[in-house]
mmCIF file of all heavy atoms in Angstrom:
data_model
loop_
_atom_site.group_PDB
_atom_site.id
_atom_site.type_symbol
_atom_site.label_atom_id
_atom_site.label_comp_id
_atom_site.label_asym_id
_atom_site.label_seq_id
_atom_site.Cartn_x
_atom_site.Cartn_y
_atom_site.Cartn_z
ATOM 1 N N TYR W 27 -5.034 1.487 -18.878
ATOM 2 C CA TYR W 27 -5.346 2.903 -18.899
ATOM 3 C C TYR W 27 -5.187 3.377 -20.348
ATOM 4 O O TYR W 27 -4.047 3.368 -20.825
ATOM 5 C CB TYR W 27 -4.439 3.724 -18.022
ATOM 6 C CG TYR W 27 -4.650 3.551 -16.532
ATOM 7 C CD1 TYR W 27 -3.706 2.920 -15.758
ATOM 8 C CD2 TYR W 27 -5.795 4.060 -15.917
ATOM 9 C CE1 TYR W 27 -3.874 2.794 -14.373
ATOM 10 C CE2 TYR W 27 -5.983 3.925 -14.575
ATOM 11 C CZ TYR W 27 -5.030 3.282 -13.805
ATOM 12 O OH TYR W 27 -5.199 3.152 -12.458
ATOM 13 N N VAL W 32 -1.217 -1.865 -17.561
ATOM 14 C CA VAL W 32 -0.286 -1.706 -16.443
ATOM 15 C C VAL W 32 -0.322 -2.902 -15.501
ATOM 16 O O VAL W 32 0.610 -3.129 -14.747
ATOM 17 C CB VAL W 32 -0.550 -0.405 -15.654
ATOM 18 C CG1 VAL W 32 -0.337 0.809 -16.512
ATOM 19 C CG2 VAL W 32 -1.935 -0.383 -15.070
ATOM 20 N N SER W 52 8.389 1.227 -7.336
ATOM 21 C CA SER W 52 7.414 2.275 -7.661
ATOM 22 C C SER W 52 6.864 2.068 -9.072
ATOM 23 O O SER W 52 7.629 1.776 -9.985
ATOM 24 C CB SER W 52 8.097 3.632 -7.504
ATOM 25 O OG SER W 52 7.113 4.635 -7.535
ATOM 26 N N GLY W 53 5.583 2.209 -9.214
ATOM 27 C CA GLY W 53 4.984 2.167 -10.541
ATOM 28 C C GLY W 53 4.696 0.759 -11.030
ATOM 29 O O GLY W 53 4.316 0.592 -12.180
ATOM 30 N N CYS W 54 4.833 -0.241 -10.177
ATOM 31 C CA CYS W 54 4.615 -1.629 -10.635
ATOM 32 C C CYS W 54 3.163 -2.009 -10.638
ATOM 33 O O CYS W 54 2.784 -3.070 -11.110
ATOM 34 C CB CYS W 54 5.441 -2.602 -9.847
ATOM 35 S SG CYS W 54 4.833 -2.840 -8.169
ATOM 36 N N GLY W 55 2.321 -1.160 -10.051
ATOM 37 C CA GLY W 55 0.883 -1.447 -10.110
ATOM 38 C C GLY W 55 0.265 -1.901 -8.812
ATOM 39 O O GLY W 55 -0.851 -2.400 -8.787
ATOM 40 N N LYS W 56 0.978 -1.685 -7.733
ATOM 41 C CA LYS W 56 0.465 -2.144 -6.406
ATOM 42 C C LYS W 56 -0.815 -1.385 -6.058
ATOM 43 O O LYS W 56 -1.825 -2.005 -5.723
ATOM 44 C CB LYS W 56 1.516 -1.866 -5.311
ATOM 45 C CG LYS W 56 2.887 -2.435 -5.582
ATOM 46 C CD LYS W 56 3.843 -2.143 -4.475
ATOM 47 C CE LYS W 56 4.188 -0.654 -4.272
ATOM 48 N NZ LYS W 56 5.010 -0.072 -5.296
ATOM 49 N N SER W 57 -0.731 -0.046 -6.121
ATOM 50 C CA SER W 57 -1.930 0.742 -5.741
ATOM 51 C C SER W 57 -3.082 0.429 -6.669
ATOM 52 O O SER W 57 -4.236 0.303 -6.238
ATOM 53 C CB SER W 57 -1.613 2.228 -5.839
ATOM 54 O OG SER W 57 -0.562 2.548 -4.998
ATOM 55 N N THR W 58 -2.783 0.257 -7.957
ATOM 56 C CA THR W 58 -3.831 -0.022 -8.914
ATOM 57 C C THR W 58 -4.547 -1.299 -8.557
ATOM 58 O O THR W 58 -5.779 -1.362 -8.560
ATOM 59 C CB THR W 58 -3.221 -0.136 -10.323
ATOM 60 O OG1 THR W 58 -2.459 1.041 -10.578
ATOM 61 C CG2 THR W 58 -4.278 -0.267 -11.376
ATOM 62 N N GLU W 173 0.381 1.925 1.577
ATOM 63 C CA GLU W 173 1.550 2.559 2.193
ATOM 64 C C GLU W 173 1.143 3.449 3.355
ATOM 65 O O GLU W 173 1.426 4.643 3.372
ATOM 66 C CB GLU W 173 2.304 3.378 1.150
ATOM 67 C CG GLU W 173 2.653 2.560 -0.069
ATOM 68 C CD GLU W 173 3.675 3.255 -0.960
ATOM 69 O OE1 GLU W 173 4.425 4.087 -0.446
ATOM 70 O OE2 GLU W 173 3.714 2.920 -2.154
HETATM 71 N N1 ATP Z 12 -5.072 7.267 -13.895
HETATM 72 C C1 ATP Z 12 -4.037 6.719 -14.565
HETATM 73 N N2 ATP Z 12 -3.915 6.903 -15.869
HETATM 74 C C2 ATP Z 12 -2.862 6.371 -16.567
HETATM 75 N N3 ATP Z 12 -1.898 5.613 -15.996
HETATM 76 C C3 ATP Z 12 -1.945 5.394 -14.667
HETATM 77 C C4 ATP Z 12 -3.032 5.935 -13.885
HETATM 78 N N4 ATP Z 12 -2.855 5.550 -12.592
HETATM 79 C C5 ATP Z 12 -1.720 4.816 -12.604
HETATM 80 N N5 ATP Z 12 -1.183 4.699 -13.835
HETATM 81 C C6 ATP Z 12 0.003 3.961 -14.223
HETATM 82 O O1 ATP Z 12 -0.119 2.654 -13.737
HETATM 83 C C7 ATP Z 12 1.114 2.158 -13.254
HETATM 84 C C8 ATP Z 12 0.934 1.624 -11.864
HETATM 85 O O2 ATP Z 12 0.631 2.670 -10.987
HETATM 86 P P1 ATP Z 12 0.434 2.444 -9.423
HETATM 87 O O3 ATP Z 12 -0.023 3.703 -8.851
HETATM 88 O O4 ATP Z 12 -0.422 1.256 -9.215
HETATM 89 O O5 ATP Z 12 1.900 2.124 -8.977
HETATM 90 P P2 ATP Z 12 2.427 1.751 -7.518
HETATM 91 O O6 ATP Z 12 2.980 0.389 -7.621
HETATM 92 O O7 ATP Z 12 1.360 1.976 -6.521
HETATM 93 O O8 ATP Z 12 3.595 2.780 -7.330
HETATM 94 P P3 ATP Z 12 4.041 3.582 -6.024
HETATM 95 O O9 ATP Z 12 4.849 2.614 -5.208
HETATM 96 O O10 ATP Z 12 4.899 4.671 -6.572
HETATM 97 O O11 ATP Z 12 2.824 4.077 -5.339
HETATM 98 C C9 ATP Z 12 2.096 3.313 -13.332
HETATM 99 O O12 ATP Z 12 2.926 3.113 -14.444
HETATM 100 C C10 ATP Z 12 1.244 4.512 -13.550
HETATM 101 O O13 ATP Z 12 1.902 5.449 -14.363
#
Side-chain angles (χ1 to χ4, degrees):
Chain W
Y27 287 112
V32 296
S52 192
C54 71
K56 307 180 295 288
S57 300
T58 307
E173 307 194 24

